[in-house]
Amino acid sequence: MSGKQGDADKMSEAELAMWGDLSEQTAQPAAESPSTSKPSAGEMNLDVILDVPVTVSLEVGRARMPIRNLLQLNQGSVVELERDAGDPFDVYVNGTLIAHGEVVVVNERFGIRLTDVISPSERVKRLK
């Protein structure tokens, strides 16, 4: 399955419709004059996608264990994570790592202070 097809499977109908509208906006007939033309495919109008909601999640750590141990977990069990105390947390947007940060409290709610943001070019490399 190609990357585009996999992405399309994860998109909602509203997102797919939005992308369809975007491709219609970026298509440019050859006869149009430059002063009234719409953006070309290489010049996407980002305003169209700026209000699309994304999921931001924070990963404290991970652990691997056999199913036998998993079935023995109960209230009060402690699962040791594969991360040292004090290590920065991973910040994901729609499942893609975009930054590292530390937990803070803002108005009695948890938040995250970003300490290292992964460059857009590096994020694209990780998608491949």
Side-chain angles (χ1 to χ4, degrees), residues 10 52-59 90-100 112 114 117-118 123 127:
K10 296 176 189 175
V52 174
V54 295
T55 300
V56 179
S57 58
L58 174 71
E59 183 174 285
D90 295 332
V91 180
Y92 292 87
V93 172
N94 285 354
T96 300
L97 179 67
I98 60 124
H100 302 283
I112 182 135
L114 301 180
V117 178
I118 297 170
R123 284 180 249 165
L127 290 175

Side-chain angles (χ1 to χ4, degrees), residues 63-125:
R64 292 184 58 89
M65 67 176 61
I67 293 174
R68 175 182 327 283
N69 295 5
L70 179 68
L71 294 174
Q72 293 173 351
L73 294 176
N74 55 41
Q75 187 173 355
S77 295
V78 175
V79 177
E80 186 176 345
L81 303 176
E82 298 170 347
R83 181 171 294 206
D84 293 332
D87 281 354
F89 299 111
D90 295 332
V91 180
Y92 292 87
V93 172
N94 285 354
T96 300
L97 179 67
I98 60 124
H100 302 283
E102 57 192 21
V103 173
V104 295
V105 176
V106 181
N107 298 327
E108 299 185 25
R109 298 188 83 158
F110 287 117
I112 182 135
R113 177 179 295 121
L114 301 180
T115 57
D116 179 38
V117 178
I118 297 170
S119 71
S121 60
E122 185 63 30
R123 284 180 249 165
V124 169
K125 286 180 191 174

